[in-house]
Amino acid sequence: MPKANSIYEQLIATELLEWKYSMRKKPSFWNKSTKKVQKKINQIIPEKVHRAITKAIKEITRGVLFGSGFTTKKRREVSSLEEIEVKVKERINFYSSSAAVEGAATGFGGFLLSLADFPLWLTLKMKMLFEIASRYGYDTKDYKERIYILYIFQLTFSSQQHRNMIFEKMENWTITRDELPDDMNAFDWRTFQLEYRDYIDLAKLLQLIPGVGAIAGALVNHKLTNKLGKTAMNAYRMRHDKFKQVKLLDK
């Protein structure tokens, strides 16, 4: 483990190591069983429905990723890690609270408004990730940094098996970055939408139930947005010069 210059950095180094272990752990019996059930359900759904959903998620996500309001953000000057993370945590709290309000509003409105939750919540989550990247000093106008943002998203909203694969790519980002195709369409959107949908389906179904939809929408949106923010923090810590050598013992 590298030498840290402050107590804060020592705490972060330990936190990062624990997070890495959680990203690398093998799928549990429950994870595997759930994934098998979801896979069978997905096989029942007609292929044309999968194509339509994949296209919708791809276009919404691409619109968010390439929207002028996201790609024109200026790269922020990086100060001390502790100062950066004070601001990052403030923004995570802000976006988690905003997502909770949005989830409550759409959940209260019933089925039709709950359908609107997907693009609204997705936009909030992506906007938060762009801001976090900028706070850590990364240029979000760089196409490959936007791919890293998609990896953070997948790392949060995927099965443990898929998480293992994505984490390996992120942990070896220098190599992964060089191997990325120039065409954004080459990104595996089908797996992206299936993993995301399978991860949040059960939680979001509660939002459709009359009477509890608003509460469920608020709680789920807040919890998962906060989880995404914390994943992003660790993903960018992993690339920080001070913590690049934080390695797992089994590597």
Side-chain angles (χ1 to χ4, degrees):
M1 188 175 294
K3 292 182 180 179
N5 296 329
S6 68
I7 294 176
Y8 185 80
E9 289 173 2
Q10 291 172 20
L11 291 172
I12 293 308
T14 302
E15 216 175 280
L16 180 58
L17 192 59
E18 292 174 352
W19 177 76
K20 283 189 171 191
Y21 272 114
S22 71
M23 293 299 104
R24 290 278 307 279
K25 68 181 180 182
K26 301 301 180 185
S28 66
F29 174 77
W30 173 254
N31 292 147
K32 291 178 181 178
S33 301
T34 302
K35 192 62 182 174
K36 284 180 181 177
V37 172
Q38 290 169 333
K39 190 174 181 179
K40 288 182 179 179
I41 292 172
N42 286 330
Q43 288 173 343
I44 296 171
I45 298 172
E47 179 60 27
K48 63 181 181 180
V49 174
H50 280 304
R51 285 198 299 267
I53 295 173
T54 298
K55 187 175 187 298
I57 291 180
K58 175 181 175 181
E59 294 308 315
I60 291 171
T61 308
R62 278 172 59 89
V64 171
L65 283 174
F66 294 96
S68 60
F70 292 83
T71 57
T72 55
K73 279 189 175 296
K74 292 182 179 179
R75 177 177 172 176
R76 296 176 184 272
E77 291 299 322
V78 177
S79 49
S80 75
L81 183 62
E82 187 170 4
E83 290 172 333
I84 291 168
E85 296 203 337
V86 165
K87 294 295 183 182
V88 167
K89 289 173 184 176
E90 286 176 0
R91 300 313 290 164
I92 291 173
N93 288 336
F94 168 78
Y95 281 107
S96 297
S97 298
S98 299
V101 172
E102 182 271 313
T106 53
F108 182 77
F111 178 76
L112 291 178
L113 272 183
S114 291
L115 294 179
D117 175 61
F118 175 77
L120 292 173
W121 187 35
L122 177 60
T123 300
L124 276 174
K125 294 198 293 279
M126 287 297 180
K127 191 173 177 62
M128 178 182 73
L129 290 179
F130 268 76
E131 189 165 338
I132 290 174
S134 178
R135 292 278 176 187
Y136 279 99
Y138 293 99
D139 184 2
T140 55
K141 288 185 283 187
D142 182 343
Y143 146 72
K144 293 185 177 181
E145 286 301 329
R146 295 197 293 270
I147 293 294
Y148 195 76
I149 284 173
L150 285 180
Y151 282 165
I152 292 172
F153 195 89
Q154 286 187 289
L155 203 62
T156 310
F157 304 114
S158 291
S159 63
Q160 188 63 38
Q161 184 176 356
H162 190 66
R163 185 176 291 132
N164 292 160
M165 183 182 72
I166 294 297
F167 179 69
E168 185 175 353
K169 291 182 179 182
M170 296 175 74
E171 196 174 23
N172 299 289
W173 178 244
T174 302
I175 297 171
T176 301
R177 182 186 175 91
D178 289 341
E179 294 176 347
L180 287 174
D182 293 328
D183 184 5
M184 187 73 171
N185 288 308
F187 185 78
D188 187 358
W189 293 102
R190 172 71 172 254
T191 301
F192 180 88
Q193 69 92 0
L194 284 174
E195 289 288 338
Y196 178 53
R197 208 176 72 203
D198 289 348
Y199 189 92
I200 68 170
D201 263 357
L202 184 59
K204 298 305 282 182
L205 280 174
L206 295 174
Q207 196 170 337
L208 304 178
I209 302 174
V212 301
I215 297 173
L219 291 176
V220 169
N221 281 18
H222 187 281
K223 180 180 179 179
L224 294 184
T225 304
N226 189 264
K227 181 179 181 180
L228 177 63
K230 290 180 178 179
T231 300
M233 286 181 70
N234 280 305
Y236 286 114
R237 286 169 174 173
M238 188 163 60
R239 293 172 64 187
H240 195 286
D241 287 340
K242 289 183 181 294
F243 306 114
K244 283 181 180 178
Q245 300 305 313
V246 176
K247 299 292 184 181
L248 300 181
L249 296 178
D250 62 343
K251 289 200 72 178

